[in-house]
Each structure stands twice: as structure tokens, then as C-alpha cells.
Amino acid sequence: DHLNFGPRWQVLRCVHLGREMAMAKLQLNEQFESDVERFLLHPALMDIATGYAMDLIDGYDASEGLWVPMSYGKVRVYRPLPSMVWSRVVLNEENGFGPGYATFDVTIVDERGRVLVEVEGFTIKQLDRNVDFSAMLNDVSEADLEEKQKSATTQELSPALARLAAQVDQGICPGEGFEALKRVLDTGLSQVVVSSLDLEQLQKNTSRIEDESVDSASFERPNMDSEFVEPRNDIEKTLAGFWTELLGIQKIGVEDNFFDLGGHSLIAVRLFRMMKKAYNVDFPISVLFEAPTIAQCGELIEQSGAVVTAGEDQVPDKTSPLSVKSRTTHLVQMHEGKDYGRTPLFVCAGMFGNILNLRHLAVQVGQDRPVYGLQARGLYGDQAPHETFEEMALANLEEVRSVQPHGPYLLSGFSGGGLVAFEMAQQLISEGEVVAMLVMLDTPFPEEPELTIKDRISMKVQDLRREKAAFVGTWIKNRIAWELSRLRKKDGSSMDASQEHFQNEAIEAAFRRALTRYEAKSYTSPVLLLRPKLQIAYELSGGLLLNGDRCILKADNGWSPYVSKLEIIEVPGDHDGMVLEPNVRVLAGHLRASLKQAESAAQAVLMAAE
């Protein structure tokens, strides 16, 4: 009803449908067989090979709404596609995205049965029934398009910088991609190219030889919500220079947001080291949540008393560093919340104590309520990390009560931070407080696998099967890395600049010591575990499963013996990626719904008690 395909797309010869699996034969028409000489993956064969098995979707009805591609999770290409192939499609019922989505795994083979292509996690989304595609066109005027073209950069970039600029400036999320597709479907044109890039400029860039002398800051300021404001004093000029060097943007205004410009935790580490060197100030990196602009950072530096920029011949006194201390050591407001009156969510950082990687989650959950992060002691300055989870929890709660004196509380923790949140909940309940919901973001209960010699041999065999010819090279590479790490630790040298700033090694060591000392107690209040699909690397005797880091894998992350009311929801992504875009949107959707339900239930219980 919406798309007309040419004769090259008429490749489907037969289909065999089962309950959760389908097989199909695909073959190019004779006059198009020579196409395969031009393509590694022929577009028509690849398209239909992954999209013919819609009838596997439970309750599928084409009239209920158009299904459109969302993403490929992973694609492995072993050989080019010939003119005739077979495609096996398996429905993944646990896709993690919820209703209106479907995910498939696809294997494409030749007529001899040799695997040509493997696709994991091909996900499609159902659009609304009877969607008005023509209405989508009214959202973009010719004036808007012309204005965008005028604002696009005209300076020639190297290919690498062009790709970087595109990611920072013009990338789109899946939801925006669907909106673009809706507009395309109503154009009535036989062939449409949609791009957020200036394609002619991009072609010029990709055809040029890489010029190593190109300035790293050679692309312009992206479109921002804030107006451009020039630096107004020496401090702001110096900071603008730091941001330009680190972010690679020519022109940065003092009201531009660090995160909106593509800043992240690794860049933040370097930025704060440069600020410390220039002004001898020791800021916690969480300052970026309260002061994400040059103007705000500059104001903090002025307040600290460091009003002179340090030059080559003007070095600050290293004996008495100026420090802007937060009102709290652990508590950081990550999002003020669109509804400030709602119960706040408190999120404990992972093992390394840094909350910057949870910013995307805070933005999503902040649509409902305030979000506060709890970072580790020892993250900056000369403070020593806590040695037990009980100490961490007690210190966190002291600052949590400055925001919320009494329950019901909403607590959460990412990775190892879930253990701290678990102990915080235990301490609150022992004091008669109510914890409406405890959320663990892929927190495993600490268990060390007891591996036999047979298990270790089995793991090596599985490594060999998985990595094949690359096994020996990988082993040598890992061994060299381990030896270098051991030598660096022996002579006291730093692993990298980020560890020097964050004191990562000290915080990690303290956390691992706390693991060995912690004795978990049973917990009877509700717990929500949000975790990605189990990534099984080793299957050992007795049903023992391990991941690539050789940690124990269990469907409940090992919490069932201690938690009586445990709900488990599988979310897309891996351990780190599930809290980052775009996966975090799915995770946050489940989290927001659960928090609302828990908050309402707790309030009802309190009212009944009164």
C-alpha cells in the first residue's frame, strides 16, 4: 500500500513457515544476475532475506499498521551473496522492546548450505494504523530546509572530521528516523534519498586524501538551543580554548552546554585536569551537572579566587590548591525533574564511583521526577574511599536525608552500585522507614566461580572454537597487556590520565575489599532488576554459565535467595550500553512505569495507616 518495488526486488521464490522459524528461497531474475558482481550484499536479496517472515509475529495483520526497520544488532559477512540464496529467519520473542516491536535472527546460506551472512537482532517497529503520511510533510517547510542549508558548514573537512561532525551535529535517534520515513512515504517520488548530511560536500570529503595538517578544531558550532555568546573575560576565553581543543569545534559560546556539544566523561576528565593545571582548582567532575557551561564554570573559578590565567611563565602555587567544594560529598542533582513535587530517585554510581555515565538515564527519568546521583568518596581530592558497603550506605543516607528526610524512598544502583543501594534500603527499613522500590541496574550478587581443572580446560576449548585462528594472537595480546599492567603497578606508574584524576584504582580496590566483607541479609520489600540479555561465553559442568569476564551468569543475577519480591525485566544493549542512548530509552520506559506504580502503592499504604 505504501511502497512500490521494481523488478529487481521480485526475488522471493518460496517460503516455508513454522511457529518461530521460516525458510525462504530467493533468486534474482536472470537479467539481473550480473548485479552480484557490483555488490557484496545485493540490496534486494538482503532486504527480502531479512523481511519476508512477518507472519511469524504473533497476531500479525498487515492492515493493522505498517512495520518498518529499526536496527540491526550485529551483522557478520563471510562471503558475497550469489544470485540465489536461502534465508532462515528465527523470531526472538524476548526482544526487550515490548509490544509493537519484533526482533529476528537471520542466517543466509548458499545452495550448498555454506553460511554467507549472519544477522543478530534485526528489529522492526509497527507504525500506527492509518497514519496520515501527508501530515508529516507539513512539519517541514521550504524555508526551514533553506535555513538549514545556509547554516550547514561550507568549510571542507577531512573525511574523519566530516564523520565526527556528522555524529556530533547531525545524528538522529530511531524515533526521528521513523518520522523521516513517514515523510518519504508520502512524497510520491519513485526514488528518494534521505540524509541529514550535505551529500555533495560529503562526497568531496571522502574523495580527498587525508590531510594530516588539518586543524583538529575545523568544524563549526552545531545548531544549539542557546544563542552564541562570545567569551567576555580572560577566564572564559581560556576555557573556550580548552573546550575547542577537546571537542574539536571552532566556535563555542559561553552559554553552550558541554553535553549538548558531545562532551562525555573521558573528555570531562581531560577538561578538569586542564582547569586544575591552569587555575590550581580542584573541582569534583560532578560540577558539570550544576555548571555545564563555560560561563558557569568560569564563575566557579572566580569564586575560588583564581582570577589570573596561568601562562608559561606564570605557574600557580602548587602548595595550596584552591578547591570549590560541593555542599555534599556524594549527592549530586543530575536532573531537577519536570515534576519537582514527585518522589525523587536516588541512583548509586557503579564500582568506580563516577555518575557521568548515568546522565542519559537521568534525562529520561527526569521527565517524571527529580534524579540525584550518589558518587563515591575519594573520586577527587585527597579523600580516602570507604572500605565497606555499610559505611558507603550510611554516608549516602546522611546526604539523602538533606533532600528527603523521610520515606517512601526510591533507590537504585548501577552495576556494583546496586549493592550500596541494597544496603541503604536495609538500613532505612531497620529504622522504620519505607522503601517503595529498590532498582538494580544489572547488579550481580557477588559470587566467585569455583573452577575445576576440567572447567578451565573446557573454557580454553570453547575459546579456541569461538576465536579459531585468532585464538593464539588474542592470548598473546592479552598476556602482554597483563604483564605491562603488572609492571606498571609494581613501579607505581599511572595507567592513564583518567585513573590519575579519578583515583580509579584506589576506589576499585576499596570496592573489591568491601565485596569480600559484605554479608547480605534477606530483603522483603519490592526489588526490580533491569538487566540485558545474558551474554554466555562459557558453558561448564553443573550448568555453570560464565560471561566473557568469567563472572557467573544467572537469570536473576543471583538475588533470588535474598529477595522475596524480585521482578526481572530484560532490556536491550549490554552491561554498559543499556544506560546509554538509544537503549536507555527502553530501560527508562520500564523504570518510569515501575516507579510510578511503586510510588502510588506506597502512598496508598501510608494513607491507609493514617
Side-chain angles (χ1 to χ4, degrees):
D1 294 331
H2 303 292
L3 299 171
N4 293 318
F5 294 103
R8 277 184 167 82
W9 253 254
Q10 309 307 318
V11 297
L12 197 59
R13 297 292 174 256
C14 64
V15 176
H16 305 274
L17 284 170
R19 289 185 178 180
E20 297 179 356
M21 185 177 75
M23 290 284 292
K25 179 181 179 181
L26 302 96
Q27 187 169 12
L28 290 168
N29 289 331
E30 185 177 354
Q31 65 268 38
F32 304 125
E33 288 183 353
S34 61
D35 282 359
V36 296
E37 299 175 4
R38 300 163 46 208
F39 296 102
L40 177 65
L41 302 178
H42 192 283
L45 291 173
M46 192 68 184
D47 186 20
I48 303 302
T50 56
Y52 71 88
M54 309 285 282
D55 287 306
L56 293 178
I57 303 171
D58 186 31
Y60 172 73
D61 185 347
S63 64
E64 290 297 318
L66 180 68
W67 289 77
V68 297
M70 177 180 174
S71 66
Y72 286 97
K74 185 182 295 182
V75 179
R76 296 185 183 90
V77 180
Y78 300 105
R79 297 178 177 87
L81 296 184
S83 60
M84 192 282 283
V85 298
W86 284 86
S87 171
R88 184 188 73 164
V89 174
V90 178
L91 178 67
N92 182 355
E93 293 187 340
E94 298 180 359
N95 64 71
F97 291 93
Y101 294 85
T103 299
F104 304 96
D105 296 328
V106 184
T107 305
I108 304 175
V109 302
D110 62 14
E111 57 184 340
R112 295 168 51 190
R114 294 184 304 175
V115 176
L116 307 173
V117 178
E118 290 180 317
V119 177
E120 295 180 19
F122 172 56
T123 301
I124 58 177
K125 181 182 187 299
Q126 186 179 28
L127 300 180
D128 294 335
R129 183 180 183 182
N130 299 324
V131 61
D132 183 3
F133 294 112
S134 62
M136 300 298 104
L137 293 177
N138 298 328
D139 293 341
V140 179
S141 66
E142 291 296 326
D144 292 334
L145 294 174
E146 290 177 4
E147 184 62 29
K148 185 174 181 179
Q149 290 173 353
K150 289 179 182 178
S151 63
T153 178
T154 58
Q155 179 177 352
E156 291 191 356
L157 307 177
S158 68
L161 286 175
R163 289 191 293 271
L164 179 60
Q167 290 176 326
V168 173
D169 184 17
Q170 297 168 313
I172 61 174
C173 67
E176 292 169 326
F178 293 137
E179 294 302 310
L181 178 61
K182 291 176 184 179
R183 296 188 177 98
V184 168
L185 292 175
D186 196 62
T187 61
L189 300 175
S190 60
Q191 192 174 50
V192 179
V193 175
V194 179
S195 176
S196 59
L197 307 177
D198 182 336
L199 294 181
E200 292 184 3
Q201 184 66 35
L202 189 61
Q203 288 175 336
K204 287 182 181 179
N205 294 334
T206 54
S207 64
R208 291 171 53 226
I209 298 175
E210 183 77 41
D211 182 2
E212 295 182 358
S213 66
V214 175
D215 183 7
S216 63
S218 60
F219 61 89
E220 293 185 358
R221 177 177 179 264
N223 295 327
M224 306 282 291
D225 291 334
S226 58
E227 294 292 331
F228 175 76
V229 179
E230 290 272 5
R232 296 158 296 197
N233 54 50
D234 288 342
I235 290 179
E236 290 183 351
K237 289 176 182 178
T238 301
L239 293 180
F242 293 164
W243 287 36
T244 292
E245 178 181 342
L246 296 174
L247 297 170
I249 298 174
Q250 282 184 342
K251 201 174 181 181
I252 297 178
V254 298
E255 299 295 340
D256 294 345
N257 187 290
F258 174 80
F259 299 111
D260 292 343
L261 290 170
H264 50 73
S265 59
L266 294 180
I267 294 177
V269 170
R270 297 176 60 193
L271 172 63
F272 275 69
R273 293 186 75 240
M274 293 166 78
M275 289 166 58
K276 182 175 182 179
K277 183 176 181 181
Y279 299 108
N280 205 23
V281 291
D282 192 9
F283 288 175
I285 200 167
S286 56
V287 158
L288 281 173
F289 286 107
E290 301 175 13
T293 68
I294 289 173
Q296 291 168 324
C297 282
E299 186 176 347
L300 289 179
I301 291 173
E302 288 185 356
Q303 291 173 1
S304 73
V307 295
V308 180
T309 303
E312 294 182 359
D313 57 348
Q314 192 173 19
V315 181
D317 179 9
K318 300 298 181 183
T319 61
S320 56
L322 297 163
S323 179
V324 175
K325 297 293 184 184
S326 297
R327 292 183 299 274
T328 54
T329 300
H330 307 285
L331 192 70
V332 177
Q333 185 174 50
M334 301 176 69
H335 199 287
E336 62 182 6
K338 292 185 178 179
D339 188 348
Y340 192 78
R342 298 286 291 274
T343 304
L345 174 68
F346 299 94
V347 189
C348 295
M351 179 171 63
F352 295 104
N354 175 21
I355 58 174
L356 245 64
N357 63 325
L358 301 174
R359 186 184 70 88
H360 299 287
L361 179 66
V363 170
Q364 294 294 321
V365 178
Q367 297 178 42
D368 295 334
R369 65 188 70 251
V371 180
Y372 291 86
L374 291 161
Q375 58 189 5
R377 192 177 74 179
L379 195 63
Y380 62 93
D382 55 359
Q383 294 176 304
H386 288 114
E387 290 291 329
T388 68
F389 293 140
E390 289 84 355
E391 292 174 356
M392 298 178 200
L394 189 64
N396 283 348
L397 287 175
E398 184 177 342
E399 297 186 0
V400 164
R401 289 190 178 97
S402 68
V403 174
Q404 186 184 354
H406 299 287
Y409 289 97
L410 299 174
L411 305 177
S412 66
F414 172 66
S415 189
L419 292 165
V420 182
F422 183 75
E423 178 59 28
M424 289 171 63
Q426 295 277 31
Q427 292 185 18
L428 285 169
I429 290 174
S430 68
E431 296 170 6
E433 293 286 0
V434 175
V435 178
M437 176 66 75
L438 170 61
V439 182
M440 295 187 180
L441 303 172
D442 199 26
T443 299
F445 185 82
E447 293 181 85
E448 286 293 331
E450 296 181 3
L451 301 177
T452 64
I453 295 178
K454 182 180 178 181
D455 287 333
R456 296 181 186 279
I457 294 173
S458 175
M459 291 168 67
K460 292 299 181 185
V461 171
Q462 292 179 58
D463 284 336
L464 183 59
R465 287 174 179 170
R466 181 169 50 249
E467 299 179 22
K468 298 182 176 65
F471 173 76
V472 176
T474 301
W475 182 87
I476 293 173
K477 180 180 178 181
N478 292 340
R479 183 69 185 184
I480 291 173
W482 180 83
E483 288 289 352
L484 289 174
S485 174
R486 184 177 63 84
L487 290 172
R488 285 180 181 134
K489 289 180 180 178
K490 185 176 180 180
D491 66 16
S493 62
S494 173
M495 288 291 289
D496 56 39
S498 64
Q499 287 183 337
E500 177 186 331
H501 184 85
F502 274 133
Q503 303 186 50
N504 280 5
E505 289 182 336
I507 293 173
E508 179 186 6
F511 188 93
R512 293 192 182 280
R513 289 193 294 271
L515 280 177
T516 62
R517 299 166 179 160
Y518 188 58
E519 296 183 6
K521 301 175 184 177
S522 61
Y523 187 80
T524 57
S525 294
V527 175
L528 172 63
L529 171 63
L530 293 163
R531 63 156 179 80
K533 183 178 180 179
L534 299 180
Q535 301 293 323
I536 301 172
Y538 304 103
E539 298 183 27
L540 304 177
S541 59
L544 180 64
L545 303 177
L546 303 182
N547 63 15
D549 295 325
R550 304 191 176 190
C551 297
I552 295 176
L553 286 178
K554 294 182 179 179
D556 63 353
N557 278 20
W559 283 103
S560 291
Y562 304 94
V563 177
S564 58
K565 299 177 183 178
L566 180 64
E567 179 184 4
I568 305 170
I569 298 179
E570 191 171 281
V571 296
D574 56 19
H575 178 73
D576 295 314
M578 71 181 204
V579 294
L580 304 176
E581 291 284 5
N583 299 321
V584 69
R585 295 173 183 260
V586 178
L587 182 149
H590 291 300
L591 178 56
R592 291 169 61 193
S594 296
L595 291 177
K596 286 180 182 178
Q597 184 177 0
E599 183 181 24
S600 298
Q603 294 292 350
V605 170
L606 290 177
M607 291 178 65
E610 292 176 359

